[in-house]
Amino acid sequence: MFNRNRTLFNAAATGFLLGCLLVAAAAWPAHTSAQSTSAIADRDLDAATRRQVIEELIRQLRRRYVLPDAVGKIEAGLRAKLDAGAFDSATSAMKFARSLTDELRAVGDDLHFGVSYNPTREQALQAAGAGSKAKLPELPLSAQERDALRRSNYGFRNVGVLLGNVGYLELTSFADLRYSQETAIAALNFLANADAVIVDVRGNHGGYGNLVRFMISHFFGPEPVKLLSGYDRETNITKRGWTLRNVPGKRFPTAGLYILTDRETGSAAEAFAFTLQQVGRGKTVGDRTVGAAHGGGWVPVGQGFIAFIPTFRGFNPYTGKSWNNTGVQPDIPAPADKALEVAHLEAVKGLLAKATADSQKQALSWIVPLLELRAFGEKPVPPSRLNDYVGSYEGITVSLAEGQLYFLGASGVRRRLLAIADDLFLVEDHSVPAENQARARFVRNADSRVSELQLLVNDGRVFRRPRK
């Protein structure tokens, strides 16, 4: 979700609305705000104070919550819990904030709800008019917050080029474009010559929609493309998001695009994946995302407490579809810890399908089995077939020990044989990059007996070694 009342990018997430000049504050999934709760002195809380905070929270929900028809249910739920004594054990401010957050999310079914105890932030919000203004004001970043963003490299953690000329970008948050633009441009320019791109937003809890839109725009041409719509409760205006006509640096309008997601991908990171998926520009790979689609800002609710209230939402204008609660469903499901390997394989297979030059086809074809090995592990070989390969070949001995095949050649070093296809094995050699490791292909004669071992190298040469 977006941060109108700006906070640090910590364990919380921020929200999203393409095409609108909105910023968001962190609210999912932590019970935090701009200042770490560990740095704020807790205090005892009585029943009257808890009731006062809940009453002000309900008043703000009536004014601002993006789903006004749901406020009645939320209000009734909170009052019922209060009257039933559900908050009686929350005798400290920190406990009450956590308890109230849990109840809000449960009764409201909205992961972007959040309550935090932060007297300093509450005073700043009150002074800016956040408690009374129709539009929540934005609080400026402190020097400490700006430095924290800088030290996080504005969320751009890793950038590189993988085998097959596939670009890789790991993005841990979507920092406000006002601060992150130079870093974003540098990262995208580094990938300028990639034929396909993987953007990794696993574990990314969200951020600012202006960076979402900026990043998405680089994967289209200069002609604006319609994206999602967004409804803002505070203004009662629905706006349509578009890609930017002008962006600095390299565009990737035709490059294969893959977005890695997991169950920690939330809010603005979900918006990034969902938008590209909905307009048919990128494929998501990995696991279902969190399902936090609403954005908003922090509101003071008295006695040192502040609440994050979702005030706007993004959705597909044609279908009305959102990712709220359902999450973004991956186009290519994969275990989160294998999503990169699976996406890399898909990207290279996509490039191979489009390749026209024989040299490129050869290079990509060589890589595919290696990436399949990384993504899915060795191809199962029935134990009964392993003995088929054991024996002596010209200058090479293949042996079997405890279910593992081994290769012994001129180097004198025994190496494992890893199955990558029927009768095809990688000769594991950690002294050279995996893509330069030789492969052993066993050739069968007319009666299906192995009669020859062929050594394959990455330049296409084949060295034949008949069985003795």
XYZ file of all heavy atoms in Angstrom, residues 225-296:
546
model
N 0.223 2.793 -22.462
C -0.600 1.581 -22.386
C -1.471 1.664 -21.135
O -0.999 2.027 -20.062
C 0.285 0.321 -22.336
C -0.550 -0.940 -22.108
C 1.112 0.200 -23.603
N -2.740 1.318 -21.293
C -3.658 1.337 -20.155
C -3.287 0.228 -19.171
O -3.035 -0.903 -19.545
C -5.101 1.125 -20.623
C -5.644 2.256 -21.491
C -7.071 1.945 -21.937
C -7.609 3.038 -22.855
N -8.994 2.743 -23.300
N -3.293 0.605 -17.889
C -2.972 -0.357 -16.853
C -4.207 -0.603 -15.987
O -5.250 -0.970 -16.482
C -1.773 0.143 -16.040
C -0.485 0.349 -16.859
C 0.596 0.972 -16.014
C -0.019 -0.961 -17.461
N -4.107 -0.385 -14.685
C -5.234 -0.599 -13.794
C -5.943 0.706 -13.490
O -5.410 1.792 -13.704
C -4.764 -1.223 -12.475
C -4.056 -2.562 -12.547
C -3.866 -3.106 -11.145
C -4.796 -3.554 -13.408
N -7.134 0.588 -12.947
C -7.860 1.744 -12.424
C -7.707 1.781 -10.917
O -7.399 0.766 -10.280
C -9.352 1.668 -12.779
O -9.544 1.867 -14.164
N -7.935 2.963 -10.338
C -7.867 3.102 -8.894
C -8.965 4.015 -8.384
O -9.233 5.067 -8.979
N -9.631 3.581 -7.319
C -10.683 4.388 -6.699
C -10.178 4.936 -5.369
O -9.683 4.195 -4.524
C -11.944 3.567 -6.463
C -12.954 4.299 -5.603
C -13.656 5.394 -6.112
C -13.181 3.919 -4.287
C -14.563 6.094 -5.312
C -14.093 4.591 -3.486
C -14.781 5.686 -4.006
O -15.667 6.374 -3.225
N -10.330 6.274 -5.194
C -9.911 6.949 -3.975
C -11.152 7.390 -3.203
O -11.924 8.238 -3.671
C -9.032 8.161 -4.323
C -8.390 8.793 -3.110
O -8.886 8.573 -1.984
O -7.392 9.507 -3.279
N -11.368 6.821 -2.030
C -12.552 7.145 -1.226
C -12.532 8.607 -0.780
O -13.579 9.272 -0.733
C -12.598 6.220 0.002
C -13.515 6.680 1.144
C -14.981 6.455 0.835
N -15.845 7.048 1.849
C -16.142 6.530 3.038
N -15.597 5.366 3.394
N -16.962 7.148 3.857
N -11.381 9.135 -0.463
C -11.304 10.491 0.076
C -11.730 11.544 -0.943
O -12.274 12.581 -0.589
C -9.890 10.782 0.587
C -9.542 9.989 1.835
C -8.145 10.276 2.335
O -7.219 10.400 1.500
O -7.959 10.384 3.550
N -11.449 11.277 -2.203
C -11.841 12.226 -3.249
C -13.055 11.752 -4.034
O -13.618 12.519 -4.826
C -10.681 12.442 -4.240
O -10.381 11.195 -4.880
C -9.446 12.966 -3.526
N -13.430 10.484 -3.830
C -14.514 9.846 -4.586
C -14.248 9.905 -6.090
O -15.155 10.103 -6.900
C -15.865 10.505 -4.262
C -17.029 9.638 -4.717
O -16.948 8.411 -4.738
N -18.132 10.265 -5.120
N -12.979 9.728 -6.460
C -12.571 9.779 -7.862
C -11.937 8.453 -8.254
O -11.136 7.891 -7.505
C -11.569 10.934 -8.107
C -12.261 12.288 -7.915
C -10.963 10.839 -9.509
C -11.302 13.461 -7.999
N -12.306 7.979 -9.432
C -11.668 6.794 -10.018
C -10.786 7.249 -11.163
O -11.241 7.983 -12.046
C -12.712 5.790 -10.541
O -13.514 5.341 -9.438
C -12.041 4.586 -11.188
N -9.537 6.835 -11.152
C -8.591 7.213 -12.202
C -8.021 5.966 -12.867
O -7.902 4.913 -12.243
C -7.459 8.063 -11.633
C -7.885 9.445 -11.171
C -6.687 10.271 -10.775
C -7.090 11.685 -10.363
N -5.921 12.514 -9.988
N -7.648 6.133 -14.121
C -7.051 5.040 -14.884
C -5.549 5.233 -14.955
O -5.064 6.337 -15.223
C -7.636 5.008 -16.304
C -7.118 3.844 -17.145
C -7.560 2.506 -16.559
N -7.019 1.385 -17.305
C -7.664 0.794 -18.306
N -8.852 1.219 -18.675
N -7.112 -0.225 -18.925
N -4.790 4.183 -14.681
C -3.341 4.254 -14.766
C -2.839 3.965 -16.169
O -3.412 3.144 -16.899
N -1.774 4.647 -16.561
C -1.149 4.469 -17.872
C 0.361 4.351 -17.674
O 0.920 4.867 -16.706
C -1.425 5.677 -18.776
C -2.859 5.888 -19.132
C -3.834 6.432 -18.345
C -3.490 5.555 -20.371
N -5.028 6.469 -19.008
C -4.849 5.938 -20.265
C -3.048 4.989 -21.560
C -5.760 5.768 -21.294
C -3.955 4.811 -22.599
C -5.288 5.198 -22.461
N 1.007 3.692 -18.621
C 2.468 3.725 -18.635
C 2.927 5.124 -18.999
O 2.186 5.911 -19.589
C 3.045 2.720 -19.643
O 2.521 3.010 -20.944
C 2.695 1.294 -19.260
N 4.162 5.421 -18.637
C 4.733 6.738 -18.907
C 5.203 6.829 -20.359
O 5.829 5.901 -20.878
C 5.910 6.997 -17.970
C 5.573 6.998 -16.472
C 6.850 6.985 -15.643
C 4.714 8.206 -16.119
N 4.918 7.954 -20.987
C 5.350 8.147 -22.369
C 6.862 8.320 -22.450
O 7.506 7.844 -23.406
C 4.657 9.381 -22.965
C 4.979 9.595 -24.449
C 4.255 10.818 -24.990
N 2.817 10.645 -24.991
C 2.141 10.047 -25.971
N 2.790 9.531 -27.014
N 0.830 9.945 -25.899
N 7.428 8.991 -21.480
C 8.865 9.259 -21.476
C 9.503 8.653 -20.233
O 9.071 8.927 -19.105
C 9.137 10.766 -21.505
C 8.606 11.427 -22.764
O 8.918 10.997 -23.875
N 7.782 12.444 -22.601
N 10.500 7.816 -20.446
C 11.271 7.259 -19.340
C 12.749 7.368 -19.689
O 13.130 7.256 -20.858
C 10.911 5.786 -19.061
C 9.484 5.651 -18.593
C 11.171 4.914 -20.276
N 13.596 7.582 -18.697
C 15.035 7.640 -18.971
C 15.596 6.234 -19.161
O 15.115 5.264 -18.580
C 15.595 8.282 -17.698
C 14.616 7.923 -16.632
C 13.276 7.872 -17.292
N 16.591 6.137 -20.001
C 17.292 4.877 -20.147
C 16.606 3.887 -21.071
O 15.738 4.214 -21.869
N 17.002 2.649 -20.923
C 16.613 1.554 -21.818
C 15.189 1.079 -21.553
O 14.762 0.946 -20.427
C 17.599 0.401 -21.616
C 17.238 -0.903 -22.278
C 17.500 -0.910 -23.758
C 17.288 -2.288 -24.361
N 17.530 -2.333 -25.787
N 14.455 0.794 -22.633
C 13.157 0.121 -22.541
C 13.320 -1.345 -22.944
O 14.241 -1.694 -23.686
C 12.131 0.786 -23.461
C 11.659 2.176 -23.015
C 10.620 2.684 -23.987
N 10.124 4.008 -23.670
C 9.056 4.259 -22.918
N 8.363 3.247 -22.410
N 8.669 5.490 -22.682
N 12.402 -2.198 -22.470
C 12.437 -3.623 -22.778
C 11.078 -4.066 -23.319
O 10.433 -4.958 -22.748
C 12.763 -4.422 -21.517
C 14.024 -4.013 -20.806
C 14.036 -2.929 -19.946
C 15.195 -4.721 -20.981
C 15.183 -2.555 -19.275
C 16.352 -4.357 -20.321
C 16.354 -3.270 -19.463
N 10.595 -3.502 -24.399
C 9.230 -3.794 -24.842
C 9.023 -5.209 -25.361
O 7.897 -5.713 -25.373
C 8.983 -2.767 -25.947
C 10.347 -2.442 -26.461
C 11.258 -2.518 -25.279
N 10.079 -5.871 -25.793
C 9.929 -7.211 -26.369
C 10.643 -8.286 -25.571
O 10.492 -9.476 -25.880
C 10.454 -7.237 -27.816
O 11.844 -6.896 -27.827
C 9.680 -6.252 -28.693
N 11.415 -7.915 -24.573
C 12.150 -8.906 -23.793
C 11.178 -9.776 -23.002
O 10.175 -9.287 -22.460
C 13.122 -8.214 -22.836
N 11.455 -11.072 -22.932
C 10.671 -11.934 -22.064
C 10.757 -11.426 -20.634
O 11.827 -11.008 -20.177
N 9.647 -11.441 -19.919
C 9.603 -10.861 -18.578
C 8.980 -11.865 -17.614
O 7.891 -12.387 -17.863
C 8.805 -9.553 -18.579
C 8.638 -8.844 -17.243
C 10.000 -8.475 -16.651
C 7.779 -7.595 -17.406
N 9.668 -12.082 -16.495
C 9.219 -13.038 -15.487
C 9.339 -12.379 -14.119
O 10.347 -11.736 -13.811
C 10.066 -14.318 -15.544
C 10.016 -14.969 -16.909
C 10.849 -14.539 -17.940
C 9.100 -15.980 -17.172
C 10.784 -15.103 -19.204
C 9.031 -16.559 -18.437
C 9.872 -16.113 -19.443
O 9.791 -16.678 -20.693
N 8.295 -12.532 -13.301
C 8.260 -11.923 -11.982
C 8.171 -13.020 -10.941
O 7.255 -13.862 -10.983
C 7.061 -10.954 -11.835
C 7.095 -9.889 -12.926
C 7.072 -10.287 -10.465
C 6.224 -10.181 -14.108
N 9.126 -13.047 -10.013
C 9.157 -14.074 -8.983
C 8.365 -13.615 -7.767
O 8.575 -12.497 -7.267
C 10.598 -14.374 -8.566
C 11.607 -14.669 -9.678
C 12.938 -15.093 -9.075
C 11.088 -15.736 -10.629
N 7.462 -14.459 -7.284
C 6.620 -14.111 -6.140
C 6.618 -15.243 -5.117
O 6.910 -16.396 -5.440
C 5.171 -13.840 -6.580
O 4.638 -15.029 -7.194
C 5.093 -12.688 -7.565
N 6.267 -14.883 -3.886
C 6.086 -15.893 -2.845
C 5.035 -15.404 -1.862
O 4.387 -14.381 -2.083
C 7.410 -16.222 -2.146
C 7.993 -15.051 -1.357
O 7.322 -13.990 -1.260
O 9.109 -15.187 -0.828
N 4.859 -16.102 -0.768
C 3.816 -15.777 0.195
C 4.178 -14.577 1.054
O 3.400 -14.176 1.915
C 3.528 -16.985 1.080
C 3.047 -18.198 0.296
C 1.693 -18.660 0.749
N 1.169 -19.681 -0.177
C -0.007 -20.247 -0.016
N -0.787 -19.893 0.986
N -0.432 -21.140 -0.880
N 5.354 -14.000 0.830
C 5.746 -12.765 1.490
C 5.678 -11.572 0.541
O 5.971 -10.447 0.946
C 7.167 -12.898 2.052
C 7.274 -13.848 3.236
C 6.546 -13.305 4.463
O 6.716 -12.119 4.781
O 5.797 -14.075 5.089
N 5.327 -11.783 -0.697
C 5.178 -10.692 -1.659
C 3.872 -9.973 -1.373
O 2.798 -10.569 -1.461
C 5.174 -11.230 -3.101
O 6.381 -11.961 -3.342
C 5.060 -10.091 -4.108
N 3.939 -8.692 -1.015
C 2.726 -7.997 -0.605
C 2.586 -6.618 -1.193
O 3.559 -5.988 -1.630
N 1.349 -6.155 -1.248
C 1.004 -4.772 -1.495
C 1.524 -4.260 -2.837
O 1.142 -4.768 -3.870
C 1.530 -3.930 -0.329
O 0.838 -2.735 -0.228
N 2.371 -3.231 -2.820
C 2.858 -2.659 -4.080
C 3.620 -3.678 -4.914
O 3.613 -3.616 -6.145
C 3.737 -1.440 -3.809
N 4.311 -4.624 -4.257
C 4.987 -5.686 -5.004
C 3.964 -6.576 -5.705
O 4.196 -7.043 -6.828
C 5.862 -6.515 -4.065
N 2.821 -6.793 -5.051
C 1.733 -7.528 -5.708
C 1.169 -6.720 -6.866
O 0.813 -7.279 -7.914
C 0.623 -7.813 -4.705
C 1.002 -8.780 -3.603
C -0.137 -8.986 -2.636
O -0.310 -8.147 -1.727
O -0.863 -9.987 -2.783
N 1.064 -5.407 -6.674
C 0.557 -4.549 -7.748
C 1.434 -4.662 -8.986
O 0.941 -4.704 -10.110
C 0.501 -3.099 -7.273
N 2.743 -4.711 -8.768
C 3.691 -4.854 -9.874
C 3.414 -6.157 -10.634
O 3.265 -6.157 -11.863
C 5.117 -4.832 -9.314
C 6.197 -4.978 -10.343
C 6.572 -3.912 -11.141
C 6.857 -6.186 -10.504
C 7.580 -4.045 -12.097
C 7.863 -6.336 -11.441
C 8.222 -5.262 -12.234
N 3.336 -7.264 -9.896
C 3.109 -8.563 -10.535
C 1.717 -8.649 -11.156
O 1.554 -9.119 -12.289
C 3.300 -9.683 -9.511
N 0.701 -8.181 -10.433
C -0.682 -8.276 -10.893
C -0.892 -7.457 -12.166
O -1.516 -7.923 -13.122
C -1.611 -7.779 -9.791
C -3.075 -7.853 -10.123
C -3.771 -9.039 -9.970
C -3.753 -6.735 -10.568
C -5.134 -9.112 -10.260
C -5.112 -6.787 -10.855
C -5.800 -7.983 -10.708
N -0.370 -6.242 -12.189
C -0.568 -5.367 -13.340
C 0.036 -5.974 -14.597
O -0.614 -6.051 -15.651
C 0.042 -3.985 -13.082
O -0.525 -3.431 -11.900
C -0.215 -3.047 -14.255
N 1.283 -6.424 -14.504
C 1.945 -7.015 -15.665
C 1.239 -8.293 -16.106
O 1.123 -8.567 -17.306
C 3.410 -7.292 -15.335
C 4.278 -6.027 -15.215
C 5.603 -6.343 -14.537
C 4.515 -5.395 -16.582
N 0.743 -9.050 -15.157
C 0.005 -10.263 -15.488
C -1.305 -9.931 -16.193
O -1.656 -10.539 -17.209
C -0.275 -11.055 -14.211
C -0.979 -12.381 -14.423
C -1.366 -13.016 -13.101
O -2.224 -12.507 -12.379
N -0.728 -14.140 -12.759
N -2.040 -8.939 -15.677
C -3.345 -8.594 -16.229
C -3.260 -8.029 -17.642
O -4.151 -8.248 -18.458
C -4.044 -7.589 -15.310
C -4.495 -8.168 -13.984
C -5.616 -9.179 -14.138
O -6.708 -8.860 -14.597
N -5.346 -10.424 -13.769
N -2.193 -7.282 -17.927
C -2.062 -6.725 -19.279
C -1.298 -7.654 -20.206
O -1.013 -7.312 -21.356
C -1.385 -5.325 -19.238
C -2.221 -4.351 -18.445
C 0.029 -5.398 -18.683
N -0.970 -8.850 -19.721
C -0.342 -9.852 -20.571
C 1.097 -9.581 -20.906
O 1.608 -10.092 -21.909
N 1.794 -8.816 -20.069
C 3.180 -8.464 -20.390
C 4.192 -9.369 -19.703
O 5.279 -9.594 -20.227
C 3.448 -6.999 -20.007
C 4.866 -6.528 -20.288
C 5.231 -6.651 -21.757
N 6.632 -6.353 -21.996
C 7.601 -7.246 -22.020
N 7.322 -8.535 -21.809
N 8.844 -6.892 -22.258
N 3.890 -9.875 -18.527
C 4.860 -10.700 -17.825
C 4.217 -11.924 -17.219
O 3.001 -11.971 -17.002
N 5.026 -12.945 -16.939
C 4.549 -14.166 -16.298
C 5.070 -14.212 -14.865
O 6.259 -14.004 -14.628
C 5.024 -15.397 -17.066
C 4.376 -15.560 -18.433
C 4.822 -16.851 -19.099
C 4.143 -17.036 -20.450
N 4.569 -18.293 -21.109
N 4.168 -14.501 -13.937
C 4.581 -14.663 -12.550
C 4.979 -16.117 -12.316
O 4.339 -17.042 -12.814
C 3.459 -14.274 -11.581
O 2.296 -15.047 -11.871
C 3.112 -12.800 -11.740
N 6.046 -16.286 -11.540
C 6.586 -17.614 -11.260
C 6.801 -17.731 -9.757
O 7.410 -16.851 -9.145
C 7.925 -17.845 -11.988
C 8.439 -19.253 -11.727
C 7.786 -17.591 -13.482
N 6.294 -18.791 -9.155
C 6.513 -19.003 -7.732
C 5.247 -19.377 -7.017
O 4.506 -20.255 -7.460
N 4.976 -18.686 -5.912
C 3.830 -19.008 -5.070
C 2.846 -17.854 -5.051
O 3.168 -16.731 -5.461
C 4.315 -19.296 -3.640
C 3.367 -20.196 -2.863
O 2.219 -20.391 -3.323
O 3.766 -20.689 -1.793
N 1.644 -18.139 -4.552
C 0.617 -17.106 -4.405
C 1.107 -16.010 -3.453
O 1.803 -16.280 -2.481
C -0.666 -17.732 -3.860
C -1.782 -16.744 -3.604
C -3.010 -17.439 -3.062
N -2.782 -18.051 -1.760
C -2.841 -17.380 -0.603
N -3.082 -16.083 -0.606
N -2.656 -18.011 0.536
N 0.727 -14.770 -3.742
C 1.157 -13.642 -2.925
C 0.198 -13.413 -1.753
O -0.799 -14.118 -1.588
C 1.261 -12.369 -3.772
O -0.044 -12.028 -4.272
C 2.211 -12.574 -4.948
N 0.490 -12.400 -0.959
C -0.223 -12.165 0.303
C -1.703 -11.869 0.116
O -2.561 -12.421 0.816
C 0.449 -10.998 1.060
C -0.419 -10.541 2.228
C 1.824 -11.412 1.547
N -2.031 -10.979 -0.797
C -3.422 -10.575 -0.985
C -3.772 -9.292 -0.277
O -4.864 -9.153 0.278
N -2.840 -8.327 -0.301
C -3.060 -7.030 0.348
C -3.095 -5.958 -0.739
O -2.065 -5.502 -1.206
C -1.950 -6.736 1.360
N -4.308 -5.535 -1.134
C -4.438 -4.701 -2.331
C -4.846 -3.263 -2.064
O -4.877 -2.463 -2.982
C -5.447 -5.331 -3.295
N -5.182 -2.926 -0.847
C -5.679 -1.573 -0.586
C -4.576 -0.666 -0.061
O -3.687 -1.118 0.664
C -6.825 -1.614 0.439
C -8.011 -2.377 -0.038
N -8.960 -2.908 0.810
C -8.396 -2.735 -1.290
C -9.892 -3.535 0.108
N -9.562 -3.453 -1.173
N -4.640 0.600 -0.410
C -3.659 1.563 0.058
C -4.309 2.663 0.866
O -5.520 2.859 0.817
N -3.520 3.397 1.595
C -4.079 4.472 2.406
C -3.016 5.216 3.174
O -1.953 5.489 2.647
